[in-house]
Amino acid sequence: MTDILVLTEQQLRQRIDLDAAVIDIVEDAFRGLAGGHVVMPPVLSMHLPDVNGEVDIKTAYVPGLAGFAVKISPGFFDNPARGLPSTSGMMAVLDAQTGRVRAVLLDNGYLTDIRTAAAGGVAARHLARADASRAAIFGAGLQARLQLQALRLVRPITDAVIWARDLSRAQALAAELDGPDLRVRATADPAEAAGLADIVVTTTPATQPIFRAEWLRPGMHVTAMGSDQPGKTELDPLCLKRADLYVADRASQTRLMGELRPALAAQTFDADAPVPELGQIIAKTHPGRTSRDQITICDLTGTGAQDTAIATHALAAFSKDT
């Protein structure tokens, strides 16, 4: 096993960025899920309430890719007070034919951040109106920045507003991102942020809803990507009742840890109703958005297929050197 490639976060940052190619790669992973041949076990999640932490383990075998990833992804949300990032982690890449370990990617969560943002771009590409130009981002952390970057790769975003519980953080991020090609400002009023947007992306670890159903407007698209653990929720459960189309990244996951879970508990979503998945819309086995005025919601809980896609993409970028 001496031929295992070990790559650091710094090395990965030099080769892998959030760009159109990565969005396409993550889109292909979702398309593969719709094909029914991807092997993806349920997420192994461990919640650590005593230390405000969590650990997720995700994996998937995607036919056609040379390897598959097993990812360990911790999130310890008191870390910023210690001067540490809240997320870290690593991925092991195994050969899809032999099962032998090919690489260990010590990315500290960087690849997860990139593939998560790319999924937001994929959701907007297939569910938001083609002319959507105004975005609202709920949250002011790293994903807030990356999700806005991903939106700009797939939609003509010219204006954005940022809301966060800590207004000073929203203001700081808005000031950093504001420029001649993208006007960005912060607001203390989440209803105002929603009212200005064609696309809303929620990027928080909230355990109580931060987005209300009455803020939904005809033609709006919402991507909720923060509810990746049981107990988290960003959307008012009534949002799913009011939406014309609710889409999951993986329906079996959103029933357990996404926005679908609290909606089912509140009986604002029919437990027997079919739940279309993003991959089905990409593969055109589900129509997706069918009119400008539809309200659409995409629930992203994060899939092992995304991890395998980004990990094999990263490994391929370095394999060219050998």
Side-chain angles (χ1 to χ4, degrees):
M1 303 289 279
T2 57
D3 58 346
I4 296 173
L5 180 63
V6 179
L7 297 173
T8 65
E9 177 186 357
Q10 182 179 8
Q11 290 173 304
L12 291 162
R13 284 180 178 273
Q14 291 172 351
R15 299 285 183 95
I16 307 300
D17 199 2
L18 178 57
D19 55 20
V22 167
I23 288 181
D24 289 343
I25 286 162
V26 171
E27 181 177 277
D28 285 342
F30 283 120
R31 185 181 290 107
L33 278 175
H37 300 296
V38 171
V39 180
M40 191 173 74
V43 178
L44 173 60
S45 291
M46 182 168 64
H47 186 43
L48 307 170
D50 292 348
V51 291
N52 194 20
E54 64 191 36
V55 180
D56 287 341
I57 298 176
K58 296 180 179 179
T59 186
Y61 164 75
V62 180
L65 296 183
F68 62 93
V70 179
K71 182 185 75 173
I72 302 173
S73 180
F76 281 62
F77 300 107
D78 292 338
N79 276 1
R82 301 184 175 98
L84 299 170
S86 59
T87 58
S88 59
M90 57 168 283
M91 298 186 186
V93 184
L94 286 71
D95 188 281
Q97 296 298 317
T98 67
R100 291 177 64 83
V101 178
R102 295 181 58 200
V104 177
L105 310 181
L106 303 174
D107 69 311
N108 284 320
Y110 174 68
L111 295 178
T112 295
D113 291 333
I114 294 299
R115 66 79 151 148
T116 300
V122 173
R125 175 187 276 172
H126 290 276
L127 291 168
R129 296 194 330 262
D131 63 349
S133 62
R134 300 172 300 171
I137 308 296
F138 282 53
L142 176 60
Q143 271 303 311
R145 176 198 308 272
L146 291 176
Q147 290 286 338
L148 183 54
Q149 181 180 340
L151 287 182
R152 297 192 71 203
L153 291 170
V154 300
R155 286 294 180 265
I157 304 298
T158 58
D159 294 272
V161 60
I162 298 172
W163 173 86
R165 288 191 178 95
D166 184 339
L167 178 60
S168 64
R169 292 188 67 202
Q171 290 171 328
L173 182 59
E176 181 181 342
L177 298 179
D178 185 50
D181 297 326
L182 177 67
R183 304 301 300 173
V184 186
R185 67 178 183 86
T187 180
D189 183 357
E192 179 188 8
L196 295 171
D198 304 314
I199 303 174
V200 175
V201 185
T202 58
T203 70
T204 74
T207 56
Q208 295 294 326
I210 58 171
F211 187 91
R212 310 304 307 177
E214 56 264 31
W215 301 340
L216 292 168
R217 292 179 293 104
M220 178 183 282
H221 170 69
V222 178
T223 295
M225 50 74 53
S227 297
D228 58 354
Q229 281 268 333
K232 290 184 180 181
T233 181
E234 296 184 292
L235 306 186
D236 176 354
L238 285 171
C239 287
L240 273 64
K241 183 175 183 178
R242 185 171 177 194
D244 298 293
L245 177 63
Y246 165 80
V247 177
D249 57 357
R250 190 65 160 176
S252 57
Q253 284 188 191
T254 62
R255 290 180 181 276
L256 299 175
M257 63 181 70
E259 300 300 335
L260 182 55
R261 179 193 58 81
L264 291 173
Q267 298 183 333
T268 58
F269 191 92
D270 182 356
D272 297 322
V275 176
E277 295 185 348
L278 183 55
Q280 294 174 304
I281 292 167
I282 294 166
K284 301 188 184 306
T285 58
H286 188 282
R289 175 183 286 275
T290 56
S291 76
R292 282 184 54 83
D293 289 339
Q294 279 189 313
I295 297 170
T296 58
I297 293 176
C298 189
D299 194 355
L300 300 178
T301 53
T303 68
Q306 293 166 248
D307 295 316
T308 284
I310 192 69
T312 53
H313 171 63
L315 187 55
F318 286 88
S319 296
K320 296 174 184 177
D321 297 339
T322 60

